[in-house]
Amino acid sequence: MAGQNPKQTSTHYHHHVAALAFPFGTHAGPLLSLVLRLAAAAPNTTFSFITTSKANSSLFSPTSEASGFRNVKTYNVSDGLPEGFVPTGHPEQPIGFFLKEAPANFRNAMKEAEAGIGLRIGCLVTDAFFWFAGDMAEEMKVPWVPLWTAGPRSLYVHVATDLIRQRVLGTSGNGEIKTLEFLPGFSKVEVADLPEGVVSGNLESPISTLLHKMGQELPKAAAVALNSFEEAEPEVVNALKSRFQNFFNVGPFNLASPSPPLLEDETGCLEWLDKHKPASVAYISFGSVVRPPPHELEAFAQALIESGFPFIWSFRGNADDILPKGFDDKSSLNGKIVSWAPQVQVLGHASVGVFVTHCGWNSTLESIVGGVPMIGRPFFGDQKMNMRTIESIWGIGVGIEGGILTKHGAIKALELILKGKEGNEMRQKIRVLKNLAQSAVEGDGSSTKAFNSLVEIVTKHEGI
Ligand SMILES: *[C@@H]1O[C@H](CO)[C@@H](O)[C@H](O)[C@H]1NC(C)=O
Ligand SMILES: *[C@@H]1O[C@H](CO)[C@@H](O)[C@H](O)[C@H]1NC(C)=O
Ligand SMILES: *[C@@H]1O[C@H](CO)[C@@H](O)[C@H](O)[C@H]1NC(C)=O
Ligand SMILES: *[C@@H]1O[C@H](CO)[C@@H](O)[C@H](O)[C@H]1NC(C)=O
């Protein structure tokens, strides 16, 4: 009956790629961005995007960009949660349940996708967290292409974990080692900046084990992709190139995507920014995963009130939770507290002079692309190392004094960047990085070339 329902028959497609997404945190979004770019570049390939139905429903709304792609289909896998599971609030718990189901749940979904499309899967594109996909790809005799959703420096740390443990924890270490200068490009990075689970904290937790395994398995991959550009950290990129068969920096994603969706400005941020002077406003967002403790939020709000710098604070919650007790004259604030802001456009607005951030990789890249220096309050994972890179390697921001938000520390950092000559120097440095990012995604730029090579690997058999 081929031809009766052309969307579902193989007659239109020559190749089938499965994309396996990690359904927690902000992982699945970047994998979907990459898959949509690949799908646009390879119209004869069909992509089966596989994740939990919960992650699926937050990525694919009927109006989302993804729904316009005829060659991207979604499949779900079980999240492994026991019946009647009540979350304890510990984020690693649901991850543990999910990982117990994997990879069997993915194998089943891939069978379903192969049957549905009528084509065998010819390539596995996965979140790099799924180290087991290397073995799956080997069994299937297809290339494995993992995507690392953070920066090259944190990736290198996971690839070099055995060496780092040996140096820092081994007998030769004796706790004397302060920096990671034995790694290329790491002379300014301190042991204390490492993500937990490398040399500190629980080295055997599900996530530490997963990242350690990942670092050991990634050299098997046909290509490792990430959301960055080579010129951002050339020394670390070269070190990784020597470890991997192919290492493709194909970002920044928000510059490289064919048509980055323009977000609606429901909260009127852009219009409000239009009324302000260049580089005068502080934009504050600590990302969607962590919320700083109440005393830090209040201290930071006090700093804004006392210093009078104009601000936009993107805060999912009640504004009364961050304002100092007894403060009820919101109309006297020289700023806006909004439940959501179109971050990329806000950071791209000339009035924004500083970004107060948790230093997640996405936010860091978005700030570079917007040309906005940062004040960092990192929390976990790669964030401290990103902060170190921002402050000591790129010179485009500062960490908050003492690592936590206090009124005094916040005012000092805001003044430094919004009023001091240091702020202007940082703006100049970040402009250089921004220009490198823009060149990377141009026709003959490094990210464009890397993406074209990636398309070749992913769609090897498309023309057959
Ligand atoms: C897709 O396949 C058709 C034939 O089925 C071919 O004519 C076309 O060139 C292919 N497109 C690409 C981008 O390979
Ligand atoms: C994913 O979400 C979209 C939009 O809500 C829906 O149309 C689709 O059926 C979902 N896919 C799966 C496998 O549940
Ligand atoms: C996956 O989606 C199908 C319908 O598309 C549904 O019947 C099934 O229960 C879902 N499975 C899981 C594990 O969510
Ligand atoms: C990070 O960036 C990617 C690509 O631009 C996007 O798809 C994703 O939604 C972003 N995630 C967050 C948490 O902003």
Side-chain angles (χ1 to χ4, degrees):
M1 305 286 277
Q4 288 205 345
N5 189 355
K7 281 194 174 169
Q8 266 143 41
T9 61
S10 59
T11 50
H12 277 63
Y13 297 118
H14 304 306
H15 195 47
H16 182 187
V17 174
L20 316 186
F22 186 73
F24 300 98
T26 50
H27 272 249
L31 186 73
L32 180 61
S33 297
L34 181 66
V35 165
L36 296 184
R37 269 170 83 194
L38 290 168
N44 285 343
T45 291
T46 186
F47 294 80
S48 295
F49 190 87
I50 309 175
T51 191
T52 60
S53 53
K54 187 170 169 216
N56 173 68
S57 57
S58 72
L59 290 171
F60 290 86
S61 67
T63 58
S64 74
E65 191 196 359
S67 56
F69 280 78
R70 128 199 108 85
N71 56 338
V72 178
K73 277 198 69 160
T74 55
Y75 293 88
N76 60 13
V77 286
S78 154
D79 56 16
L81 291 184
E83 193 111 6
F85 171 75
V86 181
T88 58
H90 196 292
E92 280 204 24
Q93 203 182 22
I95 297 178
F97 282 120
F98 175 76
L99 291 174
K100 268 194 204 131
E101 295 283 302
N105 56 355
F106 281 118
R107 279 189 218 280
N108 291 337
M110 287 197 291
K111 269 192 211 132
E112 195 191 324
E114 287 184 332
I117 308 266
L119 263 181
R120 291 207 46 192
I121 289 164
C123 177
L124 284 188
V125 176
T126 77
D127 196 298
F129 274 20
F130 296 148
W131 55 268
F132 49 77
D135 285 342
M136 289 166 91
E138 210 169 276
E139 282 163 29
M140 295 162 73
K141 301 192 169 49
V142 301
W144 175 38
V145 178
L147 170 72
W148 176 245
T149 60
R153 195 172 288 280
S154 54
L155 179 58
Y156 193 63
V157 161
H158 298 303
V159 170
T161 290
D162 288 322
L163 174 67
I164 296 173
R165 286 184 180 169
Q166 187 196 332
R167 290 293 185 99
V168 176
L169 303 176
T171 45
S172 62
N174 284 332
E176 297 289 310
I177 293 186
K178 276 231 140 49
T179 74
L180 298 170
E181 62 198 346
F182 54 89
L183 300 179
F186 276 74
S187 61
K188 292 177 176 159
V189 179
E190 296 182 8
V191 170
D193 299 330
L194 286 170
E196 50 284 340
V198 177
V199 295
S200 65
N202 181 358
L203 309 193
E204 308 295 332
S205 77
I207 288 285
S208 316
T209 309
L210 178 152
L211 289 166
H212 188 202
K213 281 292 260 183
M214 174 193 81
Q216 294 168 332
E217 295 291 304
L218 285 181
K220 280 188 181 168
V224 178
L226 96 170
N227 177 12
S228 187
F229 53 105
E230 290 190 357
E231 295 77 6
E233 295 181 84
E235 229 179 323
V236 180
V237 167
N238 284 334
L240 283 165
K241 280 188 174 173
S242 72
R243 299 272 189 144
F244 298 149
Q245 298 179 38
N246 286 289
F247 182 47
F248 294 140
N249 288 240
V250 294
F253 281 8
N254 66 320
L255 279 183
S257 293
S259 56
L262 265 201
L263 304 166
E264 296 260 349
D265 183 23
E266 293 150 9
T267 43
C269 292
L270 301 174
E271 204 179 293
W272 187 86
L273 284 169
D274 284 343
K275 301 192 192 107
H276 287 82
K277 289 202 205 89
S280 67
V281 175
Y283 169 61
I284 303 127
S285 169
F286 299 105
S288 51
V289 177
V290 172
R291 179 191 281 201
H295 65 275
E296 287 194 50
L297 293 170
E298 188 173 326
F300 195 77
Q302 274 171 342
L304 289 169
I305 292 166
E306 215 170 290
S307 64
F309 288 117
F311 68 90
I312 291 181
W313 191 334
S314 171
F315 180 73
R316 266 174 233 216
N318 187 342
D320 292 331
D321 292 348
I322 46 183
L323 292 169
K325 284 179 192 61
F327 183 93
D328 44 26
D329 181 15
K330 279 187 213 114
S331 65
S332 72
L333 287 177
N334 190 16
K336 279 169 84 72
I337 300 171
V338 296
S339 56
W340 186 85
Q343 179 155 304
V344 171
Q345 282 124 287
V346 166
L347 288 169
H349 196 289
S351 299
V352 174
V354 65
F355 180 20
V356 184
T357 170
H358 63 305
C359 306
W361 182 250
N362 244 8
S363 290
T364 302
L365 271 185
E366 286 169 358
S367 211
I368 290 174
V369 170
V372 179
M374 286 161 265
I375 295 173
R377 172 25 177 133
F379 290 89
F380 74 107
D382 62 337
Q383 296 167 5
K384 276 190 211 152
M385 221 161 46
N386 295 340
M387 179 66 249
R388 182 71 63 192
T389 310
I390 290 165
E391 184 175 80
S392 307
I393 296 172
W394 290 327
I396 58 171
V398 287
I400 193 85
E401 197 175 76
I404 61 165
L405 300 165
T406 61
K407 186 176 86 174
H408 170 78
I411 292 178
K412 199 167 144 187
L414 288 166
E415 284 184 341
L416 182 88
I417 296 187
L418 290 173
K419 277 180 155 172
K421 74 169 185 341
E422 292 91 340
N424 287 331
E425 285 163 12
M426 288 176 194
R427 260 178 278 282
Q428 275 162 22
K429 287 187 182 154
I430 206 165
R431 216 165 287 142
V432 173
L433 266 181
K434 173 187 172 153
N435 290 339
L436 289 171
Q438 274 166 338
S439 308
V441 301
E442 275 164 17
D444 57 351
S446 57
S447 288
T448 306
K449 285 188 190 148
F451 181 72
N452 294 340
S453 306
L454 179 65
V455 171
E456 248 169 64
I457 289 177
V458 169
T459 66
K460 229 170 224 160
H461 308 292
E462 174 161 61
I464 296 168

